């Protein structure tokens, strides 16, 4: 592990908040598209600040992705159900035939690249 790199347990409180939020929503009260909208708006906004501060470990990002995927397809983060379309296809834009979702790993990588660009170009926000 690199000096200054985050350990696997460091961002777990934030991941716990996401898990609690997903588990608290009752699937029967909204449609499939409502579940997609909730994941896109609420969960991604919960992660936005932390992703612009540090890079999360890949194991936690994969876990959060699986929680979101399970929530969207089955309504429960613990119930694994095969979706109508593959998850990588779901993560494409609506124009490309996806659901407009983004992989949590891709969002974290993009935030880290933005910080790197700001440092290289000396544009400090």
């Amino acid at each position: 592990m690199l000096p200054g790199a985050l350990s696997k347990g460091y961002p777990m409180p934030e991941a716990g908040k996401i898990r609690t939020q997903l588990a608290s929503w009752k699937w029967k009260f909204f449609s499939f598209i409502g579940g997609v909208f909730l994941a896109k708006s609420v969960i991604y906004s919960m992660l936005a600040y932390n992703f612009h501060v540090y890079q999360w470990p890949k194991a936690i990002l994969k876990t959060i992705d699986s929680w979101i995927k399970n929530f969207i397809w089955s309504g429960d983060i613990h119930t694994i159900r095969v979706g109508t379309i593959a998850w990588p296809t779901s993560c494409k834009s609506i124009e490309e035939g996806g659901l407009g979702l983004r992989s949590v790993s891709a969002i974290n990588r993009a935030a880290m690249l933005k910080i790197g660009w700001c440092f290289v170009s000396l544009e400090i926000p």
Side-chain angles (χ1 to χ4, degrees):
M1 188 152 94
L2 298 172
L6 292 175
S7 65
K8 185 177 176 180
Y10 184 74
M12 283 309 288
E14 289 300 318
K17 289 178 188 176
I18 293 166
R19 181 180 180 189
T20 303
Q21 186 67 46
L22 284 170
S24 70
W25 288 329
K26 302 298 180 203
W27 186 252
K28 61 183 176 184
F29 294 125
F30 46 83
S31 65
F32 174 78
I33 296 300
V36 171
F37 182 77
L38 278 173
K40 283 170 47 174
S41 61
V42 177
I43 301 303
Y44 291 161
S45 64
M46 288 173 73
L47 294 170
Y49 172 75
N50 286 312
F51 281 176
H52 283 90
V53 176
Y54 54 84
Q55 184 171 4
W56 285 34
K58 290 180 183 179
I60 295 175
L61 294 174
K62 284 180 73 173
T63 303
I64 293 173
D65 260 343
S66 70
W67 289 342
I68 293 171
K69 177 178 68 172
N70 291 343
F71 173 75
I72 287 175
W73 292 122
S74 69
D76 181 24
I77 61 173
H78 302 294
T79 304
I80 298 172
R81 184 174 155 217
V82 178
T84 308
I85 56 176
W87 184 246
T89 306
S90 308
C91 291
K92 292 182 179 180
S93 68
I94 295 172
E95 292 82 19
E96 295 175 339
L99 296 174
L101 296 167
R102 295 286 175 234
S103 167
V104 177
S105 304
I107 295 170
N108 190 226
R109 192 175 327 114
M112 291 295 100
L113 288 171
K114 181 179 182 221
I115 289 175
W117 177 256
C118 288
F119 283 133
V120 168
S121 64
L122 298 174
E123 294 177 15
I124 300 174

